[in-house]
Each structure stands twice: as structure tokens, then as C-alpha cells.
Amino acid sequence: MRTSLTFSFSLLSIAACIGVMIACSKPGEVDTGQNFDRKAMLQQYADNLIRPAYADLQAKVNVLNTAAATFSGSPTAANLTALQTAWTEAYTAWQFANAYNFGPAGEEGVRKGLIEEVGTFPTSTAKVEATITTNNANFNDFNRDARGLPAVEYLIFSPQGNNTQIVTSFQSASRRNFLTAATADIKKRVDEVVTGWSTYSGNFVNRNGTDAGSATSELYNEFIRSYEAIKNFKIALPLGKRPGQTAAEPTRAEGYYSSQSLTFIKAHLTAIENIWYGRARDGKDGVGFKEYLENVEGGQALVASAEAQLGNVRKALNALPENVPLSQQIQTNPAAVENVLNEFQKLTRFFKSDMSSLLGIAITFASGDGD
């Protein structure tokens, strides 16, 4: 009798355990990596990607600001060339920092994210010229398309390839004043972000949940938004494929005046890849979104699909000759440029909808392209 009772009790215990397991594993529920060490991942991003990116940007912007002052004081061909080089290096550094528009680089009051304050393109040349005419620059208004790095590009590279004419244009004191004020404003904003991150880093690492206010969500959403900026604004916009466009608009390409659009797109894509892999700019690999996904149900398959498509994006992009301006290729070989756009579009699903679903992180921004 005792043996029978013991056997019955054991069966009941087993049944109870199975019941608990079933209750904890609801139909349709997937593992979203709640046991993954997100804090260590965020620490990796803060220490090896975000703060170094802003520090490098700060160093390059400091050189740009000094070069602008030198050229303004002595507008010669040699000083212009040095200024153009400094701008190119600063703008390349910007490609590796423009995905981190939160915390010290986020919106506050009337201030928009750093990307809008110093990286809005295309530049409104009419607004820039009107401000130069009045000699009364105000970099705290809503004319974000008349300041920042793209506005400086217009000043020092336009007309394209004619440095003699550019130097002559800077005989105007108001033009020199605008240039030095614009670079000083960029420096001020970047300095503030770098200073802010010295104390914000701990806050960022400790908010390691996946809710809308978490650092994980902020980082993921800016990663997606930055990726989509390449697709929607650096390629689709000049190609004439954005809503409301009826024809190509090559002059709206990023880096139009310096003829370096493709160089910047490739650098920006490398920055996106670095965030995906948790890889520092010097190539040192760490824990990133890839490893995070590998720890969730279905994540390994998504990683394989996303990385295969990343390869297709690179292949299509590398098929465009970098020594021919993107604005020209849009006119002479639009099919090849559109192929790049299509490959970027195919990758969107993996980075955006699939990744968001598997990690349980909501998309909190509106991209406006229906993806």
C-alpha cells in the first residue's frame, strides 16, 4: 500500500512539474534573451564605440575650427586646401558618431539631436547666402539646414573644383565671419556632447532593460534610424525615390559639393556594421547586437540572413566607382544606383521588423517609408 501511495505521489509531482513548465512557456512565446548580459554589452558600446567616436569627432572638429580661423585670417589657396582636408576628416569622423543621438546628443528644449543640429543636409544655400548678406548669423534658430558641417562644405567646396573662385569669394568679411562662426558652433555642440558623456556613461550602462526608456532601446532605435538614413536620404533622395518626388535630384546628395558622397556612404555603412558586431573602429571585436541575437530563439538564423544581405549591400555599393560623383552616376547609370537602394531595402526587414520582434524592443521613431 505504501509503495502504491509513493508511486502515485511521484506521478503527481512529475505532473505538477510539467504543468509549471508548460505554464512558463506559453504558446507563441519566444526567448528574447532576458538572461543575456545586456549591461556588459552596453559597457562595451560606451567604452569602445560611442565615447571614442565622439572623442575622435571632437579632435577632428578642433582641427577644422583652427583651419577655418587660419583661412579666414589669410584666405589663400594653400589654406583653403588645408581647410578642405580638415573638413573631410571631420565629416568622415561624423559618420561614426551620427548614430548616437541620445543622452547628451539627444533633444532638449528647442535643441534637436546632434545629427540635426550639425548634420542636416541638403543645405539651404539660399538661407546661407541670406545670412551672409545680413552678416547676422544665428545658430540657435530653426534653420538647421543653414548650419553645421554640410553648410561649411558648401562654403569651402562651391563652386566645385574651382578653388580660385572660392578663395576670391572669401574676400568678403561677412563670408569669413559666417565660416568661423559656423565651425565654432559645431565645436561648441560637439564639446558639450563629449563632456556630457563623461558622466552619462554610467547612466547609460545601468539602464539595461528593453523598455522604451532603456539604453538598449535608445541604442537599437538610433542604430535603425541611422541605417535608414543611408537608404532614405543618402541614396533614395538624390535618386528621386522618396515620397512626393517625381524625378531624380542629384544635387540633394550628401557630400554633393565635395563630390565625396560614396566615400561617406561607405564610411557610414562601416559604422553601422561596427554597431551590429560591437566592433571598435580599430577593428577590435566585442559583444554587440549580433551576440545578443545569437542568445535568443531564432536569432542565429536572423544573424545568418542579415550578414548575407550585408554582403549583398557591400557588393552593390562597391560596384559604383568611387572616383565618379554619385550625383553624376545617378544621371549616367541610375540602374546601378537603384540596385544599391534595392539591396539596402532588402536588409531593412532583418534589421528592423525581425530584429525588433526577436529582441522584444519596440520601434519608437517614425521613418515614414512604410517599412
Side-chain angles (χ1 to χ4, degrees):
M1 185 67 175
R2 179 173 296 176
T3 301
S4 177
L5 286 172
T6 301
F7 180 71
S8 298
F9 181 79
S10 298
L11 287 176
L12 288 171
S13 298
I14 293 171
C17 289
I18 292 173
V20 170
M21 291 171 64
I22 292 174
C24 293
S25 205
K26 299 175 183 178
E29 189 176 82
V30 298
D31 177 8
T32 55
Q34 294 307 309
N35 294 321
F36 178 76
D37 191 350
R38 285 189 298 272
K39 186 172 183 178
M41 179 185 75
L42 294 172
Q43 190 76 61
Q44 150 75 2
Y45 279 119
D47 292 347
N48 297 322
L49 278 84
I50 302 174
R51 294 184 67 182
Y54 277 129
D56 183 53
L57 176 62
Q58 181 185 46
K60 298 301 194 312
V61 165
N62 285 344
V63 173
L64 172 64
N65 189 53
T66 299
T70 300
F71 175 69
S72 181
S74 179
T76 65
N79 286 341
L80 175 60
T81 299
L83 176 58
Q84 290 171 333
T85 298
W87 180 89
T88 298
E89 292 183 357
Y91 206 71
T92 300
W94 170 241
Q95 305 306 313
F96 291 86
N98 69 20
Y100 307 123
N101 291 282
F102 47 78
E107 295 187 16
E108 183 178 331
V110 297
R111 185 194 75 185
K112 288 289 191 178
L114 187 66
I115 192 169
E116 293 173 82
E117 296 291 358
V118 308
T120 294
F121 75 90
T123 293
S124 172
T125 60
K127 290 180 183 178
V128 170
E129 294 296 347
T131 302
I132 289 172
T133 298
T134 61
N135 198 22
N136 186 27
N138 173 17
F139 298 111
N140 292 309
D141 57 20
F142 296 105
N143 295 318
R144 298 181 178 90
D145 58 351
R147 60 175 175 261
L149 290 162
V152 172
E153 179 202 21
Y154 163 68
L155 290 173
I156 67 175
F157 285 98
S158 179
Q160 293 165 302
N162 194 331
N163 280 7
T164 299
Q165 190 171 336
I166 294 169
V167 169
T168 300
S169 73
F170 276 93
Q171 297 304 311
S172 162
S174 60
R175 201 170 194 82
R176 296 197 302 273
N177 291 342
F178 184 92
L179 172 66
T180 54
T183 58
D185 180 68
I186 295 167
K187 172 178 165 53
K188 172 180 173 290
R189 294 179 189 277
V190 173
D191 285 348
E192 287 173 351
V193 172
V194 172
T195 299
W197 264 96
S198 64
T199 55
Y200 178 75
S201 184
N203 175 289
F204 174 76
V205 171
N206 288 324
R207 290 185 296 110
N208 61 340
T210 57
D211 58 284
S214 68
T216 314
S217 174
E218 289 177 338
L219 178 64
Y220 171 69
N221 272 276
E222 288 301 316
F223 164 70
I224 299 301
R225 194 160 75 123
S226 187
Y227 169 78
E228 291 207 320
I230 306 177
K231 179 187 70 175
N232 293 334
F233 303 116
K234 299 191 176 190
I235 303 173
L237 180 66
L239 195 55
K241 299 297 182 180
R242 292 294 291 158
Q245 289 184 289
T246 57
E249 299 182 72
T251 61
R252 301 183 75 181
E254 178 193 42
Y256 169 73
Y257 298 102
S258 62
S259 300
Q260 298 182 79
S261 304
L262 285 171
T263 300
F264 298 138
I265 288 173
K266 289 179 179 180
H268 193 165
L269 181 59
T270 297
I272 291 297
E273 291 172 333
N274 287 353
I275 298 174
W276 167 262
Y277 289 110
R279 182 176 60 201
R281 191 172 173 183
D282 63 6
K284 182 181 179 181
D285 199 19
V287 178
F289 281 128
K290 174 184 178 179
E291 286 77 16
Y292 190 1
L293 280 166
E294 287 174 339
N295 281 270
V296 307
E297 185 178 331
Q300 292 186 5
L302 175 55
V303 166
S305 297
E307 292 186 348
Q309 187 54 35
L310 262 173
N312 293 336
V313 169
R314 275 288 180 189
K315 183 178 179 181
L317 194 54
N318 289 337
L320 302 179
E322 199 167 317
N323 63 339
V324 180
L326 178 63
S327 57
Q328 182 178 327
Q329 294 187 59
I330 286 172
Q331 298 173 352
T332 60
N333 193 14
V337 181
E338 189 162 352
N339 183 52
V340 175
L341 178 62
N342 290 338
E343 296 300 338
F344 267 95
Q345 182 62 39
K346 292 174 186 177
L347 183 55
T348 303
R349 166 198 161 188
F350 302 123
F351 276 173
K352 197 173 184 181
S353 58
D354 291 0
M355 193 169 165
S356 171
S357 177
L358 289 187
L359 296 181
I361 304 175
I363 299 293
T364 58
F365 71 95
S367 62
D369 61 0
D371 296 328

